[in-house]
Amino acid sequence: MKAKMPQYEYINLDSGWSETCDKYGRWTYREDLFPNGLRALSDHLQQNNQKLGLYMLPGLRKEALEGRIKGHEHIRIADLVTQKKQGNAFKGATFMPDEHSEHVQAYYDSIADLYAEWGIGYIKIDGCGPSNDDQDMDTRKCLYMMHKAFSKHNIWIELSWSLDPAYAEEWMSMSNGARIYADIESYSSKYMTTSHRVFQRMAYVAKWCDKQIQGKKFYIDLDAVLVGMTVDNKCVDGLDNDDVRISYVSFWALVSSVFCIGADPRKLPQKYLALLNHPVILDIHQSGVIAKPIGNGNAWLNRKQVWWKTLPDGRLCVGLFNAHVYPFMLGLSREIRVDFEELGVDEVEAKDAWTGEPLGRYAKSYSTMLRPGQCQLLLLSVVR
């Protein structure tokens, strides 16, 4: 990662890192995988200007119940969950506290203190709700406590998955980012995802684009960027072509979705590493601003997608997308147009964000012909 993708800061372990808890009921690492402990691993990553991330769930694991809270050893953890209520969206994985008391806060504080000792910089909390998948699970009380615990150590907090935008301000107040839809993996035996699943995400972002807290960077999460995943010298990402791959990266950057790479960087072809490392695209992403659509943001109801946002330097970033793809085939080329009145401007100097090519001065509107699945990402400097 240091050599291939130096701008990527966090290296995160998924759920397999932990199978049990220590005597204080805190999630602990598997010694068969990490014989030197996680402090040694995080120290190594810090030498590369990277931070280690871990995965966990809200609630109290069954493996924790025989423990006693560190600093409050007179409190048995099992006594906090006598009702055995479901603790998150994964049934049977954790228990919800009977009451969200000071002792539950002390328990979460003890986990955060331990992770800080290990040098952890990122925590992904999964199975959160309320969700827009009709789950009835509400983990917000636990999440507020976890936020209080982890934020004291400046640990990045990511929530997951498919969170309900009706509670967007709450998610933003208790985390740095949140998954807003289900996994992008197609779970095929041959391919990772599909072009259809990439453009499908537009409709879900449209529900979040007006939910931001003024002045706060918050990164929605559309799931992993699976562009260029290669096994045995064969690209298995499942995407139709490089037009779609560029649209994939462009849209994630435009809406400031978390860039989480799910592939081995040693095996990514250079042309795809170049997409994922493009300095201008990463700058657009790092603004932390969610772009919004002009017109209907549902790609199946409106194949001519136009999304835009204002960058910190005052320029406008506009993405034109031909979303005319189907689950099993590509569609038609289309002319995509943006009317500047929708952006609140009249005349602009345009540049292609990917190539850096100046496109000239335009008044009133701009349009281009795009192949199915293709996009053009524009940087617009306002003339008037």
Side-chain angles (χ1 to χ4, degrees):
M1 288 297 291
K2 179 182 179 181
K4 299 284 188 177
M5 309 183 80
Q7 298 302 312
Y8 288 71
E9 184 175 4
Y10 299 97
I11 295 181
N12 304 323
L13 302 175
D14 211 347
S15 57
W17 74 274
S18 174
E19 291 182 340
T20 188
C21 298
D22 66 11
K23 66 180 181 179
Y24 300 115
R26 303 175 299 186
W27 293 48
T28 193
Y29 55 85
R30 289 171 51 184
E31 293 185 358
D32 60 323
L33 295 179
F34 309 103
N36 298 318
L38 291 186
R39 180 78 239 189
L41 178 56
S42 67
D43 285 347
H44 172 74
L45 296 183
Q46 286 175 16
Q47 293 175 13
N48 296 339
N49 297 316
Q50 298 157 344
K51 298 175 183 177
L52 180 62
L54 297 179
Y55 171 105
M56 68 177 299
L57 301 169
L60 286 72
R61 281 168 54 166
K62 61 182 180 181
E63 295 88 352
L65 300 190
E66 295 306 312
R68 293 177 179 269
I69 300 172
K70 184 174 177 60
H72 301 264
E73 282 79 1
H74 63 291
I75 301 296
R76 200 166 68 102
I77 293 175
D79 293 335
L80 303 176
V81 291
T82 60
Q83 300 176 34
K84 298 294 191 294
K85 295 181 291 186
Q86 184 175 328
N88 69 87
F90 295 101
K91 292 183 178 179
T94 66
F95 298 116
M96 182 75 71
D98 298 341
E99 297 180 6
H100 289 81
S101 64
E102 62 183 271
H103 294 127
V104 176
Q105 183 66 64
Y107 170 71
Y108 285 130
D109 288 345
S110 72
I111 293 178
D113 293 343
L114 177 64
Y115 288 3
E117 290 176 15
W118 291 345
I120 302 303
Y122 179 110
I123 183 75
K124 177 180 177 179
I125 307 173
D126 205 358
C128 303
S131 160
N132 57 23
D133 278 347
D134 298 323
Q135 295 168 173
D136 58 1
M137 177 56 52
D138 189 343
T139 62
R140 284 176 292 168
K141 289 183 179 180
C142 276
L143 294 176
Y144 276 117
M145 288 185 160
M146 297 172 87
H147 174 262
K148 182 178 180 181
F150 290 115
S151 61
K152 287 189 300 185
H153 299 288
N154 198 31
I155 295 174
W156 179 286
I157 301 171
E158 172 88 4
L159 306 180
S160 183
W161 80 97
S162 202
L163 294 179
D164 190 336
Y167 304 96
E169 288 197 6
E170 290 189 74
W171 307 135
M172 291 177 183
S173 69
M174 65 176 74
S175 69
N176 303 94
R179 278 277 297 279
I180 67 171
Y181 192 48
D183 296 355
I184 198 167
E185 289 91 343
S186 64
Y187 294 102
S188 159
S189 61
K190 295 182 179 180
Y191 299 110
M192 287 304 299
T193 189
T194 66
S195 301
H196 173 83
R197 294 175 76 85
V198 170
F199 287 103
Q200 179 189 39
R201 260 113 180 107
M202 289 181 167
Y204 292 89
V205 180
K207 299 176 182 179
W208 283 77
C209 59
D210 292 324
K211 303 288 188 179
Q212 290 174 278
I213 297 176
Q214 189 67 30
K216 176 178 172 62
K217 284 189 177 183
F218 179 83
Y219 294 81
I220 61 170
D221 185 353
L222 298 178
D223 204 12
V225 183
L226 301 175
V227 166
M229 181 176 281
T230 299
V231 177
D232 296 330
N233 296 317
K234 179 182 178 182
C235 184
V236 296
D237 61 15
L239 304 170
D240 289 297
N241 52 42
D242 285 350
D243 284 342
V244 173
R245 293 182 180 98
I246 292 171
S247 289
Y248 193 161
V249 176
S250 296
F251 189 72
W252 264 237
L254 190 56
V255 301
S256 288
S257 169
V258 172
F259 264 23
C260 177
I261 308 305
D264 185 339
R266 296 169 298 180
K267 297 179 180 179
L268 280 172
Q270 182 56 43
K271 68 174 180 176
Y272 299 134
L273 281 172
L275 298 183
L276 298 168
N277 285 324
H278 194 292
V280 174
I281 303 305
L282 292 181
D283 282 346
I284 292 168
H285 171 268
Q286 287 291 300
S287 69
V289 176
I290 306 172
K292 55 187 176 183
I294 294 175
N296 193 319
N298 186 323
W300 310 135
L301 300 178
N302 174 22
R303 300 290 185 174
K304 300 180 179 183
Q305 288 288 315
V306 180
W307 291 70
W308 73 285
K309 67 180 178 183
T310 303
L311 298 174
D313 63 8
R315 289 180 300 169
L316 306 179
C317 186
V318 179
L320 310 177
F321 299 86
N322 180 0
H324 204 260
V325 298
Y326 300 100
F328 305 108
M329 61 181 291
L330 292 175
L332 303 172
S333 295
R334 291 175 178 264
E335 183 181 21
I336 315 296
R337 172 191 177 100
V338 55
D339 291 315
F340 297 158
E341 182 180 7
E342 300 280 2
L343 310 177
V345 301
D346 186 63
E347 188 173 354
V348 301
E349 289 279 355
K351 179 187 289 188
D352 187 294
W354 279 103
T355 66
E357 177 189 0
L359 301 176
R361 181 173 292 196
Y362 293 86
K364 304 299 182 183
S365 68
Y366 174 89
S367 67
T368 187
M369 185 67 70
L370 298 174
R371 296 182 293 271
Q374 189 183 19
C375 80
Q376 186 175 36
L377 197 60
L378 303 172
L379 292 172
L380 306 181
S381 298
V382 178
V383 177
R384 57 186 174 89

